[in-house]
Amino acid sequence: MCDPVTGATIASAVLSAGGNFVQGQNNNASAEAQMSAKNAARNAGIIQQQGNQAQATEQINQTLNKFSQPNQQQDLGSLIANRTTALANNVATTPATGLANTASTAPKVVQNSLSDAMGKAAAYGAQQGGAQAAIGATGDQFLNNGLNLNDAQNKLGTIANFAGAQQKVNEAAQQEAWNNARKGPSTFGSALSDIGTVLQLGAAGGANSAIGKLTAPAPAFSSAAAGSGGTTLPWLNSQPGQGLY
Amino acid sequence: MCLSPSIPKDDSADLAAQQEATREANITQGQSNIDSAFSQFNDPYYNNISTNYEDYYNPQLDQQYQDAVNKLTLSLGQQGILQSSEADRQLKELQETDDSQKQAVASNALNAANSAKQQVAQQKNTLYQLNNTAADPSQAASLAATAVSSAVSTPTYSPLANAFAGLVGNGSNALALQGNSGISNFYNTTTAPIAGTTSTGSGTLVQ
C-alpha cells in the first residue's frame, strides 16, 4: 500500500502516459487519413488526366486516319475528278466560232481535215486538262491536309489547355484534401493528459506540504495543529518526526 | 481540460475548380461562337468565288477568241488559203490555245477559292488561340464578327491580256503565249499563292 502522494504520482503518470498514447494513436490516424485523402484526390486527378489523354489520342488517331494511304489516295482521286470536271466544263463554254460556216463550202477533203484537226485539238485539250487537274489536285490535297492539321492542332491545344489547368487545380485539391483530413487532438486523450497533469500538480503540492512539515518545528505536529485541518494531512501525524515512510 | 477548437475547412481547391470549370465552359462557348460566325464560309461560299472568277475572265477570253478567229479568217482569206489544210492547222492551234486558256481560268478559279479558304482558316486559327487565352465568349464573338468581315482580303484581278496575240498578230502559228500574256501571266502576279502549291500549282499553263 502506497501513500496518497505516491498514488497520485503514479496515477498521474499512468493517465499522462495513457493520454499521450491516445494522442499518438490519434495523430497516426490523422496522418493516415490525410495521406488517404491526398491519394484519393491525386487519383481523381489521374483519372481526369487519363480522360484528357484519351481525348487527345482519339483526336490524333482521327487525324492520322485521314493521312492513311487509302484515304489519301481516295481524297486525291476525288480532287482530281473535281478539277478535271471543272476544267472540262469551262472549256465547253467556248462559243461557236463560225468556223463551220467558213468551212462549209470547202472541199470535202478540207472539211475532213478540219474535223480531224478539231478532234486532235479536243484530245490534246482533254489530255492537258487532265494533267493540269492532277497537278492542281495535289495542291488541293496539301491544302486540305494542312487545314485538317490546323483543326487538330486547335483541338489538341484546347485539350492541353484544359489539362494543364486541371493539373494545377488537382495539386490544390490534393493539398486541400490533406488539410481537411487532419484530425484535431483527441478529446479523450487530452482529458487523460489533463487529469494526469492535475494529479501530478496535486501530488507535487502534497509532497511539498509534507516536506515542509518535515522540516518545520515540532509544534507544527501537535494535536492542536492536526485538529485545525489546513494542509496538514492526518496520516502524517501518525509518526511525527520520523518523516515520510 | 479543454475542448479542442474546430479546424477551419480549406476550400481553396474547390474555388479553383469552380473557376476552372467556368473558364473551360467559357472557352468552349467561345469556340462555339467562332464556329458559328465562320459557318458562312462553306462550300457554296467558296464555289461562288470560283464562279465569280470564271465569270470575270471567261467573257474576256471568249471575246479575244472570237476576235482571233475573225482575224485569222481574214488573214487566211487574204492569202487565199482559207479553205486549206494550213487553215485547218492554224484553226486547230487557235482552238488548242483557247482550250488551254479556259482550263487555266477554271484552275485558277479553284485556286482563288483555295486561297480564300486558307485565309479564313488562318483567321479562325488566330481567334481560337485568342479565345483560349482570353476565355471570354463575348469577346470571342466580337472578335469573330470583326474577323469575319475581314477574313478574306479583296482579291485584285487584272483584266486578261491578249491570249491570242502571238497566234494571230503576226500571222505565224507559233504558240507564243508562254510567259508573255494570257492567264499564265496574270495569275502569277495577281493571285496569292496557295500553301503547299506554290511551286506545283495549276495556275501556270502547261504546254
Side-chain angles (χ1 to χ4, degrees), chain A residues 163-208:
Chain A
Q166 289 167 3
Q167 175 64 31
K168 291 179 180 176
V169 170
N170 181 256
E171 290 172 6
Q174 290 182 43
Q175 185 61 50
E176 180 185 282
W178 174 272
N179 293 339
N180 290 340
R182 184 169 65 91
K183 294 182 177 179
S186 168
T187 304
F188 179 62
S190 295
L192 289 180
S193 295
D194 291 347
I195 293 171
T197 300
V198 169
L199 286 178
Q200 191 173 13
L201 291 175
N208 287 339

Side-chain angles (χ1 to χ4, degrees), chain A residues 16 21 25 30 48 56 70 108 114-115 117 131 135 137 140 149 151 165 169-170 225 244:
Chain A
S16 294
F21 176 77
Q25 292 289 93
S30 176
Q48 193 176 34
K108 189 68 177 176
L114 179 61
S115 176
I135 295 171
D140 295 341
L149 284 176
D151 184 53
V169 170
N170 181 256
L244 298 172

Side-chain angles (χ1 to χ4, degrees), chain B residues 48-202:
Chain B
N48 193 46
I49 290 177
S50 294
T51 301
N52 289 340
Y53 190 99
E54 290 180 350
D55 287 348
Y56 180 61
Y57 283 111
N58 276 341
Q60 296 181 46
L61 187 59
D62 290 343
Q63 182 65 49
Q64 289 184 14
Y65 177 67
Q66 191 61 59
D67 289 347
V69 168
N70 292 341
K71 287 178 181 176
L72 180 61
T73 302
L74 177 61
S75 174
L76 293 171
Q78 287 174 338
Q79 296 177 62
I81 56 172
L82 187 58
Q83 297 176 349
S84 65
S85 59
E86 174 61 18
D88 293 347
R89 191 185 63 79
Q90 293 201 28
L91 286 170
K92 166 182 168 287
E93 291 186 355
L94 197 64
Q95 185 64 45
E96 286 176 350
T97 301
D98 183 62
D99 288 351
S100 180
Q101 296 291 343
K102 279 292 180 65
Q103 289 167 355
V105 168
S107 185
N108 290 340
L110 294 173
N111 292 343
N114 281 350
S115 180
K117 198 178 292 185
Q118 189 179 35
Q119 289 183 54
V120 168
Q122 287 173 347
Q123 292 270 8
K124 191 175 179 182
N125 189 44
T126 300
L127 280 174
Y128 262 71
Q129 292 173 354
L130 288 174
N131 181 58
N132 278 356
T133 304
D136 182 350
S138 60
Q139 186 185 14
S142 175
L143 288 172
T146 304
V148 163
S149 65
S150 61
V152 181
S153 59
T154 305
T156 303
Y157 298 126
S158 302
L160 183 62
N162 189 355
F164 303 94
L167 271 181
V168 181
N170 57 11
S172 71
N173 60 1
L175 286 174
L177 289 170
Q178 292 178 339
N180 64 1
S181 65
I183 302 296
S184 60
N185 205 23
F186 79 75
Y187 171 68
N188 289 335
T189 57
T190 60
T191 306
I194 307 296
T197 64
T198 304
S199 59
T200 59
S202 55

Side-chain angles (χ1 to χ4, degrees), chain A residues 148-173:
Chain A
N148 285 334
L149 284 176
N150 190 60
D151 184 53
Q153 187 178 25
N154 281 333
K155 290 176 178 173
L156 286 172
T158 300
I159 293 172
N161 183 313
F162 289 1
Q166 289 167 3
Q167 175 64 31
K168 291 179 180 176
V169 170
N170 181 256
E171 290 172 6

Side-chain angles (χ1 to χ4, degrees), chain A residues 26-68:
Chain A
N26 184 69
N27 289 341
N28 288 342
S30 176
E32 191 174 340
Q34 283 180 300
M35 189 57 69
S36 177
K38 184 176 182 180
N39 286 342
R42 186 188 60 197
N43 289 339
I46 289 174
I47 291 172
Q48 193 176 34
Q49 292 298 329
Q50 285 174 339
N52 291 325
Q53 182 64 50
Q55 284 186 42
T57 300
E58 182 182 355
Q59 185 60 52
I60 290 173
N61 287 339
Q62 287 179 359
T63 304
L64 286 177
N65 186 47
K66 292 177 182 175
F67 282 87
S68 68

